[in-house]
Structure formats: structure tokens, C-alpha cells
Amino acid sequence: MSGGTSPFATAYCATVKRWRFGIFIFWISVCVAGCKWGRKFTAATTSQYTSSHDSPSAVAERKISNYFPSPRNSNMSGGTSPFATAYCATVKRWRFGIFIFWISVCVAGCKWGRKFTAATTSQYTSSHDSPSAVAERKISNYFPSTEKAIAVTILLSLNSEDNALSFVSMIKNIELGLYDAVSKKYSYDIKAKTAKGFVRSVSSYWVYEEYFNASQLAASFVEGTDALVSVTYDNTANEDKINGLVDFVDKTTKDLLSSHGLSGVVSYGVTGIAPFATAILDGVADDLHFMDEAVLPLAMLILSAVIGSATLMIIPICNILITILAEFLVMYPVALSMDVVSFTPSLMMSITIAMSIDYSLFLLSRFMEEIGNGRSVEEAIPFMVDGAGHTILVSGGTLICCFLGMLLFPMAMLQSVGIGASVTLFFALSVNLTLTPALLFTVGERLIKGQERLERCWRRLTCRAKTHSESSLEAAAAAGPLSSPLMDSDAFEDEETETSPASGSNNRHLQLSKASADFSFSDDGHGDLKSGADEFSRDLAMSKSVWYKLAWFLLNPWRGGICVLAATCALAAPVCMHALSVDMSISFDMSVPSGSKTYETFKDIEKGFGAGAVFPYSLLFVPKNSSTMDPCQGAVFDPGTPSLCSLSKLSGELSDDTKCRNGFMCPLVFDSLNSALQTLETNGEQDSEIAQFAGITALDGSPVMYADYVAALEREKGIRGQKLTSFDRSILLLYESFCEVTNHTAVMSASSPSPPSVNLCAATYFTVMLSKDPFSTEGVDWLKEARKTLDDLSGEDGALFDFYLGYGAGTTYDVTTAVYDSFPLIIGVTLATVFVLMGVAFRSLVAPVRSVLTLALTLAFVYGLLVLVYQKGAFGFLGLRCFENSHAVSWLPPVMSFSIIVGLGLDYDVFLISRVHEFRLEGNTDHAAAVKGICATGYIITAAGLIMAVAFGGLLTSDELLLNQTAFLLVFAVLLDTFVVRTLCVPALLGITDTLSWWPSKMPPATKSIGL
């Protein structure tokens, strides 16, 4: 199915094949629905044509309707676009169908969507041509039993030094009992030449001592009062089976210690990739539980305070739950068809919470604003959809296109993240744009009345009387618009003089006249003074807010805007310059919860055996002469040390006419192998040995000579008439494990008279165990230097081998390197997509430039601050673990948080700019539109920043440094974006561009200003 196609195309076709009958049913359902309702489409069309917004007829008709509004207009339209009106009418008509659809999605999500996380994988697959992928393919070709084999390691430690001498004998029954239990449950036989089952090997001191009498090989599993047991398994199995093995090993070891009375004498621990993954998931579950119980309720409380209604909180809660179930339902078949990395569900949930809260805030705040302006629920919903709905549609649609662009990268990990984020945003938009208005049409009146009852009850409980301003407003409303003090001309003029913060050149923005209150007249010729009074009263109330004063200051380029921008850039530049000096870490220190037992076991093994005992490398040697696979060809053997081929023929194991190759088994090759290993042993560090090897020339840190093999084979074949020693058995096990013996028997015939051929060691590999953590900075440095050294050795004149270094930290390092090689391109494509789609949405070149620049400022600042805090220790004086100096940054947080930072920043930007654009289209001057837009959105944007900071800030209490760094990025990004970038920088840029803010679009003539 793959055949050279892209991973996405392969996964897509596999998904279509798996769900083809579901696709048939879906489109058949669409056809049935189309036959019933689609045929009504032609009757719903209109024969009326609408001219462009700035055509003479449209301008004239708007002017006429301003002064003479038609009483025939329904309450549903009320100044909204025809699309919003028609959309809301459709939602209202089909609202119960919408409820049934989303309830069905929830039911299906509860049944199948919850399986999504179990279908993900914690294993990262590097690109096909990466060094680790090439090496692992080569190793598995020659040694199939090592393919995708990973070990779970058990450490047995003596609690007291009193019994040190008897420790080895003490653990005999434990190790042999564990082997018996594993071999029985998983059908494993250590005597089998090759293991093709789930369990590939069980290795320990007493296993080798009991079954092979190989004491020297067994000794590598004991160090002082510590002993290791290694169970190697097939890592391609499903995670339930792998976790079952880990749990079985853990429980069996505990039961064996207890049954032999050693529970208080010998302690044990289990470690490896699978136990680490379990510890990480348990830590994440604890963190999410804390967020569910404490953080999210606090965020919802702040949201209800901003919206001004506690009863409306049922809507965002429903939206979040339905979105999560729907996105997991869709991603489950995707995870069955392609590799989806394990952090994708967490990323999707983070995006869901962030976007759903933002979208609900934008929609419901606009809804309550229209309710406050005197509109009914059914009148307010179209305004909500036309204003805030357009905002979130532009923002969400742009982000979906950005994340779909990640499918262009040839990495399954990035593709799965792109698909997951796109699906999340699609459902967040769909739920908020369909379910929110449907719920408001159905229970909106009840929710508003419920909020009023709550407020009355609160007043009674607190014995709170109405304030003077509330009483005055109610009295004014009861008396009618003409009695309002706002309509007093003297007060009007006094207010103009006192509240205007502008003078001189800025007076052009205060085209003050009583006509600017926008009075209109009804058909009976009487002045509709209430409309003008309402707008004037809103302007008057606006002038009292801090946003109004801030907007006036920032929109003046020379007095405020340029100074604020210059100060912001000057303060941000020293931080932003560190954004490109990130030292990435792939160490488990960052991801495993501090204090977890599995990580403490890993550290204990690192002290005694070296961390490489848990995560060893495999170094494959392949002869350069691929035609013969015999680097010993032409080698001269001493009379006392014959070739292995001659020994095999002498003993009768091979016939005289068999074509035999020694492969690697000759003194010349042994010397070359030892020379290469010695170079890697220190890897440039002359004073320390950071690598230990196990293979045909190395046993428990001691060299093995070619003569040792000759003597062992002579004793084994009975040539010398001596018995095999323990050392002989140990090195013969090395030969069996680390040499590939090929045996090709040709068919003897007239057409093919070739004799059978045997290669006694066509290829060999060594296990490389580092004394340092392979995933640490020092371990990664060793890997990079080792690869360079091996390339140099392979390129030397007369070199006998090609080298392939696989496993260990190689795959993770190659994946992170590929991700960060692609990361600048991802950022560029994302910002370019934002530029194009924002330009199309606002028909402007200036607006997208402003958006891209402000997003880039936020990203550069928070990434630079991340480096200062976690690499330089800038917040070390606080003494908090979540800000401790780790001397490096985990590779995952910058990648995982990028999409969320861009999404939130774009949300706030579109929300602000859309409102300014809306006021400008209504005929306000550029300055007045900017002031009104800032005043209308400023408090909502800053409140959104506080909500997001609270929501993500809960992760700062996590025991995982990776989550601490992720939370740090998100919290400081939203606070910077909402309190500095959208609040200060964007208004300053609007003031500088002024009439060019929407260039090259032509705005309607300015007929309104601020009525103050």
C-alpha cells in the first residue's frame, strides 16, 4: 500500500479502506437528506441583487435607512449581514436536530473516542534515511532477533552491607524464579538459537551460570551488592501487552522476594522505556486531575465574571466536553492507520481548552453586550454570530490551514500533530458556531432570567441596596429619553470640553456636533431620539474607562504610539536575542516526575553499572568487501593458531569441498576491531572511559584474543582432548550471540556445480554501554563524536569495515534534530499562511503585516525568556522547582506550545482588529473606530489572558520539568500578548498607520466620530 508514497497518503488510503462502508453510509444519508430538503434550495433563493458596499446606490440606501428605518425589518436582522440572518434562522429552525447530532457524537465518542489515547505510540520513528534508521535496518538484517528489541531492567540491591558476601547466592532463587515465570507465561526458551516471540531474551547472573556455566559472562550482571536482570521484548507489540509484561515482572519479583523472606533484605526496582512511559502518563494524569479540580473551575469562575453571567457557563462547559469527545472519535481511526505520537492527545486537549474558552468568551461577551444594549435574545444572537462568529471563523480557519501545512513535512510525528490540531480546531469551531446559538435560541431567555434571579438573591443575602447610578439610570429609562440628563445641551458641551484628551491636530477626530449622536427619524416624522441618545450615552460611558484614555494616548503617534513601540522593542530585544541560543535536551530528567521510583532505579543503575546498561547502543561491523563478506581473506595464520575454517574441516563439521570463509575470525581483524573500540572507548576524553563494550573481542571489560577462540573451539570439538572451561563457554556464547554465521548450500547439478559455502562470521556487532546517561547532554555529545569518529575510520585507506551505530539515544536524537531542522520552516509556513489568509479576510496588506509582526514578537520574547530562566537561571533566586536552572530546555515544549501560542495570539488579534474594522465599516473615522474597538475589546482580551494564565498555570505545580517549561511558555505568552502586544503595540501601530490601516481596501466615507 505504501510503495514509495508519502506516509500521509498511505495512512489516508488505509483509513478509507478500513471505513469504506461507513463512507458509503454517510454519502447515502446525505443523498436521502438532499432528496428531502435539498430540493427546497431553489425556493429559498432570492431574485434580488445586492450591489457592492461602496457603490453609489448602496451608500445612498444606507444613508436613507439611517434616517428613515423601515418598520418592516424583522427583529432577526437588525443591521446584521444577510448571511448571519439566514444562518441564525437556519440554526433556530434545526436546533433540535443540532442537539441530536452532537448527542450522537458524544455517545459515539464515549464508546470509541476514549480508545484514542491507547492507540497512540510513545515511540518516535526517525526518517527513513537518518543515521539511526539506516543503522537499525542494517543490524536487524544481519541479526533479526535484535529488531525493535527493547529491554525492561530489574535492579536487585542489598539493603545492608552485612550480607554482602552472600548476596549473589541470596538472589539465586529470585533470578531463576523470575526466568521460569517469564518463560512459562511468554513461551520463551533460552536454549533456542533464535527467539521470534514477544520475549526475545532473559539475561541475569544466575541464568547464564545455571544454564551455560558461563561465569565470566554472568559476572557482567553483578556489581558489588547490585544485580541486574534484563528482559528483552518486541517493541512493536501493542502497549497493553508491553505494559502487561512490565507489571508481570514487577509483581513476580515482589512476590518472589516475599516468598523467600527477602522483602526487607533486598530491594528492587524496574526501569526502562516502558516504565518511564507509565510514570510519565501517571504524572500527567495527576496533573490533569489537579487542573480539573482546582484550576479549570477557577478559570470558569473568572470567565463568568467577565461575561457577567454564571448561568451561561453551562455553554462553554458543554462545548469543551463535546469537542474533546468528537475530536478523539475522529482521531481514533487515524491512530489505527498511522503512528500518532503519545503527546498528541495532550496537545489536542490543551488546544481545546484554550480555543473553546476563547471562542465562548468572544461569543457570549458579544451576546451579553447586545442584551445590555436593549435587544432581545433572538435579536442579540445574529449580532453575536455576525461579529464574534466572524472573528472566530477567520481565526480558526487560518489556524486550520496552518496546521494542515504540517502534512507537507516527511515526518509521521509532525503529520500526526498537524492532523490532531486541525481536527481539534475544526470541532471547536463547529461546536461553538452551531451549539452555542442553538442553546441560546432554546434556553437563552431562561438563562438570562436565571442570572437576574441570582443577582436579586445575592442582593438580599448581602443586604446590598441599588447604587445611586443604578437608580438614576432606571429613573431616566422610566422617564424616557428626552428627560435624560445626557440630552442636556449644556451638559453635552461641558462634557466635550472636560473629557476630550486631544487638542491641536487631534481635534479632527472630534467632529463634535449634536448630529454626531446619530439621531434618526421614523416614518411618522418624529425624531427617534432614543437611538441617538443610546449611542451618545455609550460614548459618554466609554469616555470614563481607562481603555478610552489609553487608546487616545496610544493612537497619537508622536505623543504615545512611537514612544511605546520604541520602549517595548528596547526592553524586549535583550530577551529576544536569546531565542536562537536554545540548548535542547532529550534527557528523561525533563519528562519523568521527580521522585518516581523507576527514575530513582535508573539513577542507581547509572551509579553502579552505567546508564548504558539500560539503554545500550549496538555497533555493527560489516566488511567493505561485500562480494565475499570476508575481511580475513588473504590473512596469514600462524602455525599455532589455525583458521576456524581449517578447524571445522579438521573436525569433520565441514566437508573438504565446502567453500568456507573465516569472516571476522582472524588475528588481523581482531586487531582492527580492538583498535576501533579503543578509539570509541574514550571518544576524545583521554582521562575517562565513558564506553564499555561486549562482543566477540570484549568480555566484561576484558579483551578476548583470537587464540582464545581457537583454544575454545579445539576443546569443544575434542581436538585437544580437554574439557571446556567456564571462560570457553562464555566466549563461545559471545560468538553465537554476536556473529552472523551464514550457510548457503548450492544445489549440485550440471548447470550449477558450485559447492556449498559457509561464512563463519559474515558480520558482527558490539553492545556499547556508556557510563553516562545516553540521553543526557554528555551522552548526546558522545553520540555525535562517535558518529564522526566512525565516519573517519570508515573513510581511511585500507579500512576493512563499514560501521553502523544504532539504538541507544540515536533514534530520539535524530527525531529531535529533524524536528528542529524543520521548525524554522514550520514557523515560516505558519506565519506566511497567517499573512495570506488575514490579507484575504480583511482585504488588506497592512493588517496581515501587523499581525505577523506582533505574533513574531510574542514568540521571540517567550522563547528568549525560556532560555534565560531554564538555561541561565534568571529566576533561580525564587527557589521554586518549576523555575529551577536545568541548564537546558526540553526539546518538546517549544514545539508543542508553538501552535497554542500562535492560536491564542491570532484569536486576540482578530478579535481586536475585527471590531475596529466593524466600526470603520459603520462609517466611523479611523481614529474613532480604533478607539471604540479598543474600548469594546480591551477588557475582554485582558480577561482572556488572565483566564488562560490560570488555566495553564496549574501545570507549574507539576513534578515534571517538561510540563513546567510548557506552562511557562504558555502563561508568559498569553500575559505578554494580552497585556502588552494587543493592549499597547497594536493600538500604537493603528495610530501610526491611521488611514492606511486597511490599505489597499477602500473604506466607506467617514460620517461618524466619537460623540463627545
Side-chain angles (χ1 to χ4, degrees), residues 823-844:
F823 199 29
L825 184 58
I826 293 174
I827 294 174
V829 169
T830 300
L831 295 181
T833 306
V834 169
F835 179 86
V836 172
L837 296 183
M838 288 286 287
V840 171
F842 292 102
R843 300 177 183 179
S844 168

Side-chain angles (χ1 to χ4, degrees), residues 709-729:
Y709 281 97
V710 173
L713 286 171
E714 287 178 340
R715 282 189 282 268
E716 183 188 42
K717 298 176 187 300
I719 296 175
R720 291 194 178 187
Q722 299 175 355
K723 293 184 178 180
L724 283 172
T725 66
S726 175
F727 178 76
D728 292 337
R729 293 188 182 91

Side-chain angles (χ1 to χ4, degrees), residues 284 287 590 896 955 958 960-968:
V284 171
D287 296 330
M590 302 285 182
M896 190 167 67
L955 292 178
S958 172
E960 299 177 35
L961 198 55
L962 181 149
L963 294 180
N964 294 155
Q965 294 179 357
T966 303
F968 178 88

